[in-house]
């Protein structure tokens, strides 16, 4: 079956514009995660969904960042009024149940965002 | 295809012990290697990132080494604490992430 897909693969935007990133998890996976990786930095956790609800929003760096998940499937990460420091690769992952005890997370290819 | 293996799969130690987790990978063409911690109900937490040109990185009680030519990395945890109990994952990044199988660590008070 298909893995985790993300779109767009690359996005170039101007400072101040809003962007929307999409993630399609593996069918049947209840847990979905958003991360970002800035140049030279480790993976940074942003938000985690269990079904359609987000029990952990602690990683969102500011109120310009929001995410939603509908139908227990597709998720969108929205960044409003983008800043240059938002430039990074945004990665989505999904897992079967989200139990966290060594459960494999399957990563998408990422969206490379560049804010000019 | 890259394969990442972690040994041991599970480890239980008394509080205060120093310990080493091992990670091996088959393809040395990587950009970096990361060690993560995974807690129930949480996303992954990145602990240490080693670029392919580096040999080691340190953060607090954690030290990670990388020997790219032999396809090995170790995570050294000094003076372990019960709060260190979690699953530890290593991942190499080439054109995508390849994760290891994880080591489940339990630190007994």
């Amino acid at each position: 079956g298909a893995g985790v897909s993300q779109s767009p693969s690359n996005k170039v935007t101007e400072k101040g514009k809003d962007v929307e990133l999409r993630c399609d998890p593996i069918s049947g996976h209840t847990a979905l995660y958003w991360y970002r990786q800035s140049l030279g930095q480790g993976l940074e956790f942003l938000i985690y969904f269990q079904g359609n609800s987000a029990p952990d929003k602690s990683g969102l760096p500011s109120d310009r960042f929001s995410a939603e998940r509908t139908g227990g499937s597709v998720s969108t990460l929205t960044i409003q009024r983008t800043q240059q420091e938002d430039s990074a690769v945004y990665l989505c992952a999904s897992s079967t149940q989200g139990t966290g005890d060594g459960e494999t997370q399957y990563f998408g290819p990422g969206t490379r965002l560049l804010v000019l | 295809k890259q394969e990442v293996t972690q040994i041991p799969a599970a480890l239980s130690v008394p509080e205060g012990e120093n310990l080493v987790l091992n990670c091996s990978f088959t393809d040395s063409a990587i950009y970096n290697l990361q060690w993560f911690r995974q807690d129930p109900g949480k996303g992954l937490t990145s602990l240490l990132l080693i670029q392919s040109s580096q040999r080691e990185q340190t953060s607090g009680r954690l030290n990670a080494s990388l020997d790219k030519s032999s396809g090995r990395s170790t995570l050294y945890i000094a003076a372990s604490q019960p709060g260190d109990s979690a699953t530890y994952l290593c991942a190499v990044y080439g054109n995508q992430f390849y994760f290891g199988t994880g080591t489940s660590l339990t630190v007994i008070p």
Side-chain angles (χ1 to χ4, degrees), chain A residues 35 37 42-43 48 99-100 102 107, chain B residues 34 38 40-41 44 46 49 97 99:
Chain A
Y35 301 88
Q37 182 150 17
L43 201 66
Y48 154 65
T99 58
F107 277 77
Chain B
Q34 294 189 57
Q38 185 177 36
L44 299 178
S46 180
L49 166 69
F97 274 109
F99 279 83

Side-chain angles (χ1 to χ4, degrees), chain A residues 33 35 37 40-43 45 48 56 91 99-100 102-103 105 107, chain B residues 32 34 36 38-44 46 49 51 87 93 97 99:
Chain A
Y33 310 80
Y35 301 88
Q37 182 150 17
Q41 303 293 314
L43 201 66
F45 168 72
Y48 154 65
D56 188 357
L91 290 150
T99 58
E103 184 184 80
Q105 294 188 23
F107 277 77
Chain B
N32 61 55
Q34 294 189 57
F36 296 91
Q38 185 177 36
D39 295 279
K42 296 270 189 182
L44 299 178
S46 180
L49 166 69
Q51 301 290 358
T87 297
Y93 186 76
F97 274 109
F99 279 83

Side-chain angles (χ1 to χ4, degrees), chain B residues 12-23:
Chain B
S12 184
V13 300
E15 181 177 1
E17 268 203 12
N18 303 324
L19 58 101
V20 175
L21 308 182
N22 297 289
C23 172

Side-chain angles (χ1 to χ4, degrees), chain A residues 10-32:
Chain A
N10 290 281
K11 177 72 177 178
V12 181
T13 190
E14 293 178 348
K15 178 181 171 182
K17 294 282 178 82
D18 298 351
V19 296
E20 202 170 87
L21 312 180
R22 177 188 167 109
C23 172
D24 261 292
I26 293 173
S27 177
H29 281 192
T30 61
L32 185 148

Side-chain angles (χ1 to χ4, degrees), chain A residues 5 7 11-12 16 25 28 32 36 47-49 52 61 63 69 76-77 79 81-83 92-93 96 104 107 111 116:
Chain A
S5 61
S7 61
K11 177 72 177 178
V12 181
L32 185 148
R36 74 176 176 181
I47 190 169
Y48 154 65
F49 286 93
N52 290 336
D63 58 8
R69 189 180 185 195
T76 54
L77 176 69
I79 309 173
R81 304 180 303 280
T82 52
Q83 304 292 313
C92 173
T96 308
T104 299
F107 277 77
T111 293
L116 300 176

Side-chain angles (χ1 to χ4, degrees), chain B residues 6 21 36-37 47 75 77 84 86-90 102-103 105:
Chain B
Q6 290 184 244
L21 308 182
F36 296 91
R37 172 185 172 133
L47 299 173
L75 178 67
I77 302 177
D84 294 333
T87 297
Y88 290 81
L89 296 161
C90 75
T103 294
L105 173 66

